[in-house]
Amino acid sequence: MTPENLLLRPLITQKCTLGCPDLDRCLGGGIPCNSITELVAESGCGKTQLCLQLALTAQLPIPLGGLSASSIYIHTEFPFPSRRLHQLSLAFHSSHPPIFGGDPCDYIFVQGVHSADQMLGIMTKMEQFVENSRTQLPVRLIVIDSIAALFRSEFDNTPVELKRRSSLFFKISGKLKSLAKRFGLAVVVTNQVVDLVGSEGINGLRIGNLASLCSSGRRVCPALGLAWANCVNSRLFLARHEEVDKEENELGDVNLQSTRSRRRLHVVFAPHLPESCCEFVITRKGIFGVEREQNAAKRNEA
Ligand SMILES: Nc1ncnc2c1ncn2[C@@H]1O[C@H](COP(=O)(O)OP(=O)(O)OP(=O)(O)O)[C@@H](O)[C@H]1O
């Protein structure tokens, strides 16, 4: 890479819309191509929902923020949520009828993977598939949901095993990055969290994986440790907090009415974005920023 080459590179990286202007705004336009974006969250926060939605929005034409592309969806937790994908695709189909002639699910190639070695093994096949894809829409999105599940139980806590684990992290992420660069792909991987015990970082420094995040009232940090934190380009965190609606009666007694989940998307680190955050909801039709949902509710009332 020479300084001249650097200047010739396009200044703006293509992004894939998430299908909601509020979420796209928070992410500077969507999920970037040519790099790996990680979605981190505890179970049930919406990682899979966001990935399924992305596999649909990637099919949108480029002027509408999509990649005009099909996708490869690798799931490591079983079973694959095909009923939910079908539900989302129906909602998507009805909001973009002229674009989708056929079934959007036909442009999502689903593959189950059971182990990190199997994952590494299929990378070459995946490259050939992306290169030779004869489908109507070329593959421009790869989702791995979830990367953490591949490393959960297979490795012992010994130096040799930890070294083998890190080596697999670098091999898998290296291949994903080279695929992303070669074919202009957006790569999205999901990761779990673990509870953070003890102090945060060294002398309060937030380095890679050591930054603690908060979800369901617990301090958590992304699973897989510092070695994996260096394998991804951008890290997004989905948090959930239960809120209790309280009501005070005339005697001053507090009645707990109901609880509701508030969900937030945080940018933890990304080369092209500042730290930022936005609130979202998950509905039957997909994931949407709260601003958009509130405006829709106001329109319905009016
Ligand atoms: N049809 C639907 N309508 C509304 N909300 C839904 C629907 N389907 C799923 N959800 C919401 O999505 C949440 C599950 O999200 P998701 O499966 O993406 O979690 P996750 O972060 O991938 O969890 P895990 O790590 O366990 O896979 C549920 O708790 C539910 O609130």
Side-chain angles (χ1 to χ4, degrees):
M1 174 69 66
T2 63
E4 289 79 19
N5 277 348
L6 202 58
L7 286 174
L8 289 174
R9 282 157 62 113
L11 286 177
I12 296 170
T13 306
Q14 194 179 0
K15 312 257 172 34
C16 180
T17 176
L18 289 170
C20 166
D22 299 327
L23 298 177
D24 284 348
R25 206 173 307 120
C26 183
L27 298 185
I31 300 292
C33 294
N34 312 328
S35 66
I36 303 180
T37 302
E38 183 197 46
L39 292 177
V40 182
E42 64 169 320
S43 183
C45 276
K47 301 184 290 296
T48 300
Q49 306 300 311
L50 206 51
C51 290
L52 295 174
Q53 184 155 309
L54 201 61
L56 292 166
T57 55
Q59 297 173 31
L60 287 171
I62 291 164
L64 292 184
L67 301 175
S68 205
S70 57
S71 53
I72 296 177
Y73 198 110
I74 292 178
H75 66 106
T76 63
E77 285 173 332
F78 293 80
F80 175 74
S82 23
R83 280 181 64 182
R84 177 60 171 148
L85 174 62
H86 187 64
Q87 185 182 42
L88 290 172
S89 79
L90 288 179
F92 210 67
H93 197 286
S94 62
S95 50
H96 300 90
I99 296 161
F100 292 111
D103 183 352
C105 298
D106 291 344
Y107 299 101
I108 302 170
F109 303 103
V110 179
Q111 169 77 49
V113 169
H114 292 269
S115 70
D117 287 311
Q118 191 193 353
M119 180 73 228
L120 198 57
I122 67 155
M123 299 295 287
T124 316
K125 281 192 199 146
M126 209 150 71
E127 183 167 5
Q128 284 165 0
F129 187 81
V130 175
E131 190 162 22
N132 303 326
S133 168
R134 295 268 183 269
T135 56
Q136 204 178 326
L137 303 176
V139 172
R140 297 274 320 269
L141 170 71
I142 294 178
V143 172
I144 302 178
D145 183 18
S146 89
I147 195 83
L150 295 176
F151 293 94
R152 203 173 279 154
S153 55
E154 221 182 284
F155 298 84
D156 292 332
N157 206 12
T158 61
V160 173
E161 282 288 277
L162 290 176
K163 198 174 156 205
R164 188 166 83 83
R165 200 177 84 128
S166 301
S167 157
L168 275 168
F169 287 167
F170 288 114
K171 280 184 189 155
I172 291 173
S173 65
K175 292 222 174 209
L176 285 172
K177 275 182 191 164
S178 101
L179 273 180
K181 290 239 163 70
R182 188 164 160 220
F183 297 103
L185 308 180
V187 177
V188 176
V189 297
T190 68
N191 190 5
Q192 258 84 31
V193 296
V194 289
D195 283 302
L196 188 77
V197 183
S199 62
E200 186 185 325
I202 304 153
N203 300 328
L205 283 177
R206 291 167 44 128
I207 310 164
N209 191 53
L210 291 176
S212 89
L213 306 159
C214 194
S215 189
S216 298
R218 288 158 31 224
R219 288 171 68 211
V220 295
C221 72
L224 304 184
L226 191 54
W228 175 254
N230 283 293
C231 292
V232 298
N233 303 96
S234 307
R235 173 168 274 173
L236 309 176
F237 175 61
L238 307 182
R240 184 178 53 187
H241 300 283
E242 297 300 326
E243 262 190 14
V244 183
D245 288 331
K246 294 175 187 168
E247 202 180 68
E248 220 173 276
N249 64 19
E250 57 278 6
L251 300 171
D253 296 330
V254 175
N255 293 322
L256 303 181
Q257 292 292 309
S258 59
T259 58
R260 64 185 177 121
S261 282
R262 292 191 77 167
R263 302 174 191 268
R264 284 203 177 85
L265 167 73
H266 296 262
V267 176
V268 181
F269 62 75
H272 60 296
L273 292 173
E275 273 185 50
S276 57
C277 134
C278 73
E279 193 168 338
F280 68 91
V281 289
I282 306 177
T283 71
R284 194 175 51 79
K285 291 183 174 178
I287 290 199
F288 302 104
V290 161
E291 236 174 86
R292 185 197 125 123
E293 280 298 293
Q294 283 172 346
N295 289 342
K298 274 183 203 153
R299 271 199 305 276
N300 286 343
E301 276 168 25

